[in-house]
């Protein structure tokens, strides 16, 4: 923090915070196991100071600091109106259902709280009734599930689909029973008075503390579509937890998107509504077929000579935009949307649904025409391609301008916090693209004893990541570590290709043993199920890619070894990465040092952070990339990690793991 701010006398709120965290304070009285932590109090005082002065504060709080209570306590004690945003809906639920009620009761503050999610998280009563009349449900299970939803709908208060047991968030029924900005009828909806989205927004407007997520925040900033726009000017405090995800969440909404899935959804809605409300008045099946054909042609034009796209590929705009087929595909989209618009215009008075479909047809025409023209200055375009769909994307390079606009609004305290926000004292990796150059910055280290409880091993003679033997060598190293521990191992990969190679090699290695260690590979089952299987029987190795690098919490001795296959540098051929690099170089800056190494440091901190999750955890982190030991930037990357003890040889590393296994066995016997 700035010296000038450190010298300022503590505000009244800061004094209240100190009292709350005291051994005899309300937190201790509410929880007999409560122990004050100096890092947590330090962060909480800084948050209280920023709230009192209505300033922006950026806090990097290491694992174990207790940052949730550190920002919630001063926010609640201030009595001001607070908006709290976190990265995911599951974290929202954790905050709203567990942390907030505990603190509100402990602090005895009479504040009302509300949970606000995006409209897609709530049951749409109008579309549920339409789904019952539709013959378009994807399968028999969806028909059965719809009956269960209808029964649940009679008793739910919130309409939050996450509350319904047995309804997976990836169920194909979901798009038939929730609403989107495209198909919501607003005040024209016959179910408007009972609408769960309207009710949730009304409750948020009446609450003192509102919990949202980053996607909702930016969706509103870009589309004015979530209810946050009315809320934000009236709050005194805006808090962003897991703030390291804020920049990427923002880019998803601040840009422009035209996807083949949009076209398919529109075609499906035109057909369903036309046959239900205006059968025989237009050739609805023909119109839907033209839209679906335009979507297929656009997907094929985006794929070009590529026959198969595994996973999600990001293609440079220039690779396809110049092709004759690509321009023709965009024209076909615009023409199909125009035909739909003209047909819908003839029945627009029949029901409000047709008026909304008419607007969607116009929007699709505008998007297709826009992508046929040149991009806006300062924006980058690319194509996301997967097996079944393609998306055309135009995006700003970062969220800086959008955030500066928000920060320039009515004065309030802005708090941004995460365990990983940079690898320098100014946290520039986060503050620069977020427009927070003038914010107060605080770094609070973890209270965990990494030097005693954790070891870092970087094998020096390991194959380079570019060599064909690298991934098989990672599998061999992982197998040795898992055998020494009896499983309890994660392997985090930077690519899906390495994920499969390492997973297959581990299975082959273990299957000949009488009691083989189980190998769980991302993609074989949903993420939640894989984690559940790992926890139920930790005699396993879990191999995961991007989504397993963060947000995974396995405390205790179930996880005691994490291997990272190679340094997580951003892919240099990614169009967004290329554009950011070009901008830095045009400013005379070193893109490798300021971008690539900074990005790798953040990802490394996230991946390595899966290892030690509590004060008693112990484990080994293995980075299977000799560049971390041999290249001059290796020290910067090592310094980005918590201060773990170093082991220099494989023998020392395996001995450490065998020691942990023996310690665990002794503890089990004594129990």
């Amino acid at each position: 923090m700035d010296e000038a701010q450190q010298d300022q006398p503590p505000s009244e709120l800061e004094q209240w915070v100190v009292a709350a965290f005291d051994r005899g304070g309300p937190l201790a009285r509410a929880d007999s196991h409560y122990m004050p932590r100096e890092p947590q109090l330090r962060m909480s005082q800084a948050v209280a100071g920023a709230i009192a002065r209505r300033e922006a504060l950026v806090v990097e709080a290491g694992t174990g600091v207790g940052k949730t209570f550190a920002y919630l306590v001063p926010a609640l004690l201030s009595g001001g109106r607070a908006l709290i945003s976190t990265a995911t809906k599951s974290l929202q639920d954790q905050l709203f259902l567990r942390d907030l009620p505990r603190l509100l009761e402990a602090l005895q503050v009479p504040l009302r709280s509300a949970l606000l999610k995006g409209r897609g998280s709530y049951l749409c009563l109008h579309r549920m009734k339409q789904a019952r009349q539709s013959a378009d449900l994807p399968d028999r299970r969806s028909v059965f599930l719809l009956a269960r939803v209808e029964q649940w709908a009679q008793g739910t208060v919130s309409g939050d689909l996450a509350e319904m047991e047995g309804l997976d968030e990836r169920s194909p029924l979901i798009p038939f029973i929730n609403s989107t900005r495209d198909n919501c009828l607003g005040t024209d909806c016959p179910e408007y008075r009972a609408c769960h989205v309207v009710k949730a927004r009304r409750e948020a407007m009446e609450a003192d503390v509102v919990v949202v997520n980053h996607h909702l925040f930016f969706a509103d900033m870009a589309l004015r579509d979530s209810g946050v726009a009315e809320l934000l000017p009236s709050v005194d405090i805006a808090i962003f937890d897991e703030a390291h995800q804020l920049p990427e969440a923002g880019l998803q909404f601040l840009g422009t998107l035209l996807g083949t899935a949009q076209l398919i959804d529109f075609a499906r809605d035109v057909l369903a509504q036309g046959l239900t409300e205006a059968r025989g008045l237009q050739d609805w099946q023909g119109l839907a077929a033209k839209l679906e054909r335009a979507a297929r042609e656009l997907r094929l034009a985006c794929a070009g000579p590529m026959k198969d796209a595994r996973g999600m590929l990001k293609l440079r705009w220039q690779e396809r935009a110049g092709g004759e087929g690509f321009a023709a595909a965009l024209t076909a989209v615009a023409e199909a949307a125009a035909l739909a618009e003209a047909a819908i215009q003839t029945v627009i008075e029949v029901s409000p649904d047709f008026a909304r479909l008419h607007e969607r047809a116009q929007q699709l025409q505008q998007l297709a025409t826009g992508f046929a023209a040149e991009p806006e200055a300062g924006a980058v375009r690319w194509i996301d391609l997967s097996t079944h769909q393609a998306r055309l994307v135009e995006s700003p390079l970062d969220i800086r301008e959008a955030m500066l606009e928000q920060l320039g609004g009515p004065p309030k305290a802005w708090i941004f916090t995460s365990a990983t926000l940079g690898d320098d004292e100014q946290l520039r990796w986060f503050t620069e693209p977020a427009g927070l150059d003038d914010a107060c910055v605080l770094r609070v280290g973890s209270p965990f004893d990494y030097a005693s409880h954790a070891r870092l091993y970087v094998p020096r003679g390991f194959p380079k990541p570019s060599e064909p033997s690298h991934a098989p060598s990672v599998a061999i190293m992982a197998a040795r570590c898992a055998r020494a521990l009896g499983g309890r191992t994660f392997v985090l990969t930077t690519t899906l290709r390495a994920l499969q190679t390492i997973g297959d090699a581990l299975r082959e290695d273990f299957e000949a043993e009488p009691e083989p260690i189980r190998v769980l590979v991302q993609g074989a089952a949903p993420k939640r199920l894989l984690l559940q299987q790992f926890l139920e029987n930790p005699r396993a190795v879990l191999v995961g890619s991007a989504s397993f690098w963060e947000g995974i919490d396995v405390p205790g001795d179930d996880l005691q070894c994490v291997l990272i296959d190679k340094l997580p540098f951003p892919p240099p051929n990614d169009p967004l990465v290329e554009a950011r690099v070009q901008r830095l170089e045009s400013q005379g800056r070193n893109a490798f040092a300021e971008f690539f190494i900074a990005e790798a440091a953040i990802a490394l901190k996230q991946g390595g952070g899966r290892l030690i999750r509590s004060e008693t955890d112990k484990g080994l982190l293995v980075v299977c990339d000799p560049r971390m030991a041999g290249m001059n930037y290796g020290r910067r990357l090592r310094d980005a990690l918590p201060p773990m003890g170093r082991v220099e040889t494989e023998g020392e590393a395996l001995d450490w793991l065998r020691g942990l296994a023996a310690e665990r066995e002794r503890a089990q016997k004594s129990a």
Side-chain angles (χ1 to χ4, degrees), residues 634-645:
R635 174 163 188 157
R636 178 176 166 187
L637 294 174
R638 293 195 301 273
D639 289 346
L641 292 168
M644 305 175 180

Side-chain angles (χ1 to χ4, degrees), residues 455-469:
R455 295 290 181 269
L456 170 65
Y457 175 46
V458 183
R460 287 182 177 270
F462 215 78
K464 295 176 182 176
S466 57
E467 295 176 7
S469 60

Side-chain angles (χ1 to χ4, degrees), residues 497-540:
R497 183 182 301 167
L499 173 101
Q500 208 58 55
T501 302
I502 293 167
D504 291 345
L506 282 169
R507 282 200 191 96
E508 189 177 338
D509 196 330
F510 290 139
E511 65 186 7
E513 298 180 0
E515 291 185 36
I517 292 172
R518 191 175 185 185
V519 180
L520 305 169
V521 180
Q522 178 183 334
K527 177 180 174 181
R528 185 173 52 187
L529 181 58
L530 285 176
L531 275 174
Q532 185 180 327
Q533 291 173 345
F534 183 87
L535 292 169
E536 287 172 353
N537 179 15
R539 185 176 167 77

Side-chain angles (χ1 to χ4, degrees), residues 320-618:
R320 299 290 184 267
E324 188 175 319
F326 187 78
L330 279 174
T331 300
V333 170
E335 290 175 350
L339 285 172
E341 181 195 356
I344 294 164
Q345 178 66 51
T346 65
V347 294
I348 201 165
E349 301 298 331
V350 172
S351 83
D353 294 271
F354 283 119
R356 191 69 192 98
L357 285 171
H358 189 263
E359 290 175 25
R360 289 169 68 184
Q362 291 177 322
Q363 289 163 0
L364 287 169
Q365 287 180 76
Q366 290 165 3
L367 284 168
T369 305
F371 275 107
E374 290 298 310
E376 288 188 17
V380 59
R381 280 183 181 175
W382 69 86
I383 298 168
D384 287 331
L385 184 69
S386 66
T387 307
H388 300 295
Q389 63 173 299
R391 301 190 310 170
L392 314 185
V393 184
E394 180 173 313
S395 168
L397 300 192
D398 54 40
I399 62 171
R400 184 179 179 85
E401 293 304 317
M403 287 302 299
L404 284 171
E405 183 180 338
Q406 295 297 318
L407 292 164
K412 61 173 61 67
W414 295 84
I415 313 296
F416 303 86
T417 185
S418 171
T420 49
L421 289 174
D423 69 329
D424 65 329
E425 290 302 317
Q426 289 74 42
L427 302 177
R428 280 182 294 226
W429 175 86
F430 175 74
T431 56
E432 186 174 325
L436 291 162
D437 311 276
D438 298 328
C440 179
V441 172
L442 174 67
R443 301 183 83 187
V444 182
S446 169
F448 297 162
D449 186 359
Y450 285 96
S452 300
H453 290 180
R455 295 290 181 269
L456 170 65
Y457 175 46
V458 183
R460 287 182 177 270
F462 215 78
K464 295 176 182 176
S466 57
E467 295 176 7
S469 60
H470 181 262
S473 298
V474 174
I476 292 169
M477 176 67 72
R480 290 171 181 165
C481 292
R483 285 193 179 96
L485 264 180
R488 303 169 194 273
T489 297
F490 272 12
V491 181
L492 301 178
T493 70
T494 53
T495 64
L496 292 175
R497 183 182 301 167
L499 173 101
Q500 208 58 55
T501 302
I502 293 167
D504 291 345
L506 282 169
R507 282 200 191 96
E508 189 177 338
D509 196 330
F510 290 139
E511 65 186 7
E513 298 180 0
E515 291 185 36
I517 292 172
R518 191 175 185 185
V519 180
L520 305 169
V521 180
Q522 178 183 334
K527 177 180 174 181
R528 185 173 52 187
L529 181 58
L530 285 176
L531 275 174
Q532 185 180 327
Q533 291 173 345
F534 183 87
L535 292 169
E536 287 172 353
N537 179 15
R539 185 176 167 77
V541 178
L542 194 155
V543 187
S545 191
S547 64
F548 282 86
W549 282 66
E550 60 178 291
I552 305 293
D553 193 18
V554 186
D557 57 18
D558 287 344
L559 175 61
Q560 293 190 302
C561 183
V562 173
L563 293 96
I564 291 174
D565 71 331
K566 63 179 180 179
L567 294 176
F569 289 114
N573 58 349
D574 181 298
L576 189 55
V577 170
E578 287 181 338
R580 287 170 172 169
V581 166
Q582 289 169 7
R583 181 173 65 179
L584 285 169
E585 290 176 344
S586 71
Q587 296 167 351
R589 296 162 68 178
N590 184 329
F592 184 70
E594 294 193 43
F595 179 71
F596 285 100
I597 296 178
E599 290 280 337
I602 291 293
L604 201 59
K605 286 171 78 171
Q606 284 289 346
R610 299 313 96 211
L611 183 64
I612 304 296
R613 305 301 298 171
S614 75
E615 292 175 348
T616 56
D617 283 8
K618 295 182 179 179

Side-chain angles (χ1 to χ4, degrees), residues 34 67 333 471:
Y34 172 77
K67 59 183 170 64
V333 170

